[in-house]
Amino acid sequence: MRSFMIATRILSAAVGAAFIPGAAWACPGCMVGDPKTAGTYLGMTLVMSALPILLVCGLGYWLWKRHS
């Protein structure tokens, strides 16, 4: 029974290691994998960068309109 558990762990580690190269294509730093992926990373970077600024400015505008 113990050898079966060891074999199962080794097999699951090997299968997990087989998927590592596929995950490397999703690297946002190199953007070599797929041109659509590069565009998606750029778009999401712009959205995530602008969102906090827009939220703070929107809250400030709302407070200004409410108290003036």
Side-chain angles (χ1 to χ4, degrees), residues 53-68:
I53 295 168
L54 293 172
L55 287 172
V56 169
C57 290
L59 179 64
Y61 179 75
W62 178 73
L63 288 172
W64 177 64
K65 281 296 205 180
R66 184 171 178 171
H67 294 291
S68 62

Side-chain angles (χ1 to χ4, degrees), residues 3 6-8 11-12 17-18 21-26 34 36-38 40 42 50 53 60-62 64-66 68:
S3 63
I6 292 172
T8 304
L11 181 63
S12 64
W25 284 102
D34 185 12
K36 289 187 262 181
T37 306
T40 302
L42 178 63
I53 295 168
Y61 179 75
W62 178 73
W64 177 64
K65 281 296 205 180
R66 184 171 178 171
S68 62

Side-chain angles (χ1 to χ4, degrees), residues 17-45:
F19 288 112
I20 290 174
W25 284 102
C27 173
C30 57
M31 294 193 190
V32 176
D34 185 12
K36 289 187 262 181
T37 306
T40 302
Y41 279 125
L42 178 63
M44 288 310 298
T45 300

